Amino acid sequence: MQQRPDWFIRWHMQHEKNNTAPDLQEDSSLLDVRNLCIDFEAHGEVHRAVDMVSFSIRSGEVLAVVGESGSGKSVTALSLTGLLPPPPGCRVQGEVMYRGSNLLKCSGKKIRQYRGRHLAYIFQEPGTALNPVFTVGYQIAEAIRLHRPETKNVRGEIIRALDLVRIRQPEKRYQDYPHQLSGGMQQRVMIAMALACRPRLLVADEPTTALDVTIQAQIMDLLRELRAELGMSILLITHNFGIVSGFAHKVAVMRHGRIVEQGDAEQVLGAPEHPYSRALVRCIPVLGRKLRRLPTIETEEEGRNA
């Protein structure tokens, strides 16, 4: 890992000072989600998308929520800070406790203070999440001015954030528009935008979906390094079990809106107990493994050989 300059060390120390409560212990829970239920109403009928979901994340910990598309992972992540559409579009029940405060009970103004400054998001598809008519520097500056209005040298903070995510020549690249960057670079800009707000919890929703395998590995390595350097927690939302190993401390497996299994990553990946978890693990491609046909979740759950 490359040596960090003096400004980074000072930035990191200030980050810890601003975001760590005096009574917060490293082994205490940073986020507790309890009995979360999310209902969507359509054509006069109510559909439950998330059903009694509970999990916790400690300071500096990585929790990976894994499951196939449509299992409720992203809906769960968006509900944490009120990013789901308001009623009658949906109803959210339960508790989302962040350092003793129930975010589901916060007013709109209060939740906006948590969003970005304490819990920041990296969304899917950076090419669509970034505004094409503004430079990346302008968009990072907007986040800084909104969540850190006390910042005086905004340009300096932008350059530091881009340098933090290993973008070369940040003094020049911050003037680029999103279309001038590759998909991997766009994702790095999204990470820089989130980190510029100095959050304690980073919610990464499918951060490698639109990237090729090589760039996926680079982004995951970057997140791993940043977590170690900044001491932040990460909630990783993914359908890819392959990127979880060696990255997450804990894993929660979701299906049909429920968590069917959760525990230490080593245990869930190495000896999963639920049939659905075993099926997901078995479906990870392995070099040299001879198959009569590609495994599917259905065949693995039924115990048939692939």
Side-chain angles (χ1 to χ4, degrees), residues 62 64 220-221 223-224 227 234 236 243-249:
V62 179
M220 295 309 298
D221 287 342
L223 289 175
R224 184 182 296 108
R227 187 211 64 81
I234 297 178
L236 174 66
I243 68 174
V244 174
S245 179
F247 181 74
H249 298 100

Side-chain angles (χ1 to χ4, degrees), residues 73-75 77-78 121-125 187 203-209 235-238:
K73 308 182 305 296
S74 294
V75 171
L78 292 173
Y121 286 79
I122 304 173
F123 296 106
Q124 300 182 43
E125 304 283 355
Q187 192 61 283
V203 182
D205 187 1
E206 301 279 10
T208 61
T209 295
L235 173 60
L236 174 66
I237 306 296
T238 182

Side-chain angles (χ1 to χ4, degrees), residues 176-241:
D176 288 348
Y177 288 87
H179 73 271
Q180 295 176 285
L181 305 175
S182 66
M185 291 286 279
Q186 289 177 357
Q187 192 61 283
R188 289 173 187 264
V189 168
M190 290 293 299
I191 297 172
M193 189 182 304
L195 295 181
C197 301
R198 303 180 182 176
R200 290 300 300 164
L201 174 63
L202 183 66
V203 182
D205 187 1
E206 301 279 10
T208 61
T209 295
L211 307 175
D212 61 53
V213 176
T214 302
I215 304 302
Q216 282 185 16
Q218 293 177 7
I219 294 299
M220 295 309 298
D221 287 342
L222 174 62
L223 289 175
R224 184 182 296 108
E225 292 175 9
L226 292 174
R227 187 211 64 81
E229 292 176 13
L230 301 179
M232 63 184 176
S233 304
I234 297 178
L235 173 60
L236 174 66
I237 306 296
T238 182
H239 64 271
N240 187 350
F241 242 137

Side-chain angles (χ1 to χ4, degrees), residues 17-215:
K17 179 180 178 181
N18 290 343
N19 291 283
T20 303
D23 59 347
L24 181 64
Q25 303 297 320
E26 285 303 308
D27 60 349
S28 64
S29 291
L30 180 68
L31 181 77
D32 274 307
V33 177
R34 305 169 185 168
N35 301 325
L36 182 67
C37 296
I38 303 174
D39 297 328
F40 286 88
E41 186 176 335
H43 307 294
E45 296 183 357
V46 176
H47 304 273
R48 176 145 293 186
V50 173
D51 189 15
M52 300 297 288
V53 163
S54 298
F55 59 83
S56 64
I57 303 175
R58 295 179 300 183
S59 296
E61 189 173 55
V62 179
L63 169 66
V65 179
V66 185
E68 59 191 300
S69 297
S71 60
K73 308 182 305 296
S74 294
V75 171
T76 297
L78 292 173
S79 71
L80 301 181
T81 56
L83 291 177
L84 290 174
C90 71
R91 293 195 297 268
V92 182
Q93 306 172 58
E95 293 182 331
V96 177
M97 305 299 297
Y98 176 80
R99 299 168 114 180
S101 298
N102 187 357
L103 301 186
L104 296 185
K105 301 297 184 181
C106 291
S107 64
K109 180 179 180 181
K110 186 68 175 178
I111 199 67
R112 285 192 292 271
Q113 295 175 357
Y114 282 105
R115 190 188 301 143
R117 185 65 185 260
H118 295 272
L119 289 81
Y121 286 79
I122 304 173
F123 296 106
Q124 300 182 43
E125 304 283 355
T128 58
L130 292 170
N131 194 320
V133 302
F134 294 112
T135 64
V136 296
Y138 179 93
Q139 296 180 64
I140 297 175
E142 187 177 31
I144 294 174
R145 292 191 179 101
L146 178 63
H147 297 290
R148 294 171 51 205
E150 74 282 0
T151 303
K152 296 180 179 179
N153 186 4
V154 175
R155 179 181 178 276
E157 287 294 307
I158 297 170
I159 293 173
R160 292 171 185 176
L162 292 176
D163 182 62
L164 188 63
V165 296
R166 289 45 161 181
I167 290 182
R168 297 179 180 179
Q169 298 182 311
E171 300 86 356
K172 297 181 180 179
R173 302 313 298 265
Y174 89 99
Q175 303 178 70
D176 288 348
Y177 288 87
H179 73 271
Q180 295 176 285
L181 305 175
S182 66
M185 291 286 279
Q186 289 177 357
Q187 192 61 283
R188 289 173 187 264
V189 168
M190 290 293 299
I191 297 172
M193 189 182 304
L195 295 181
C197 301
R198 303 180 182 176
R200 290 300 300 164
L201 174 63
L202 183 66
V203 182
D205 187 1
E206 301 279 10
T208 61
T209 295
L211 307 175
D212 61 53
V213 176
T214 302
I215 304 302

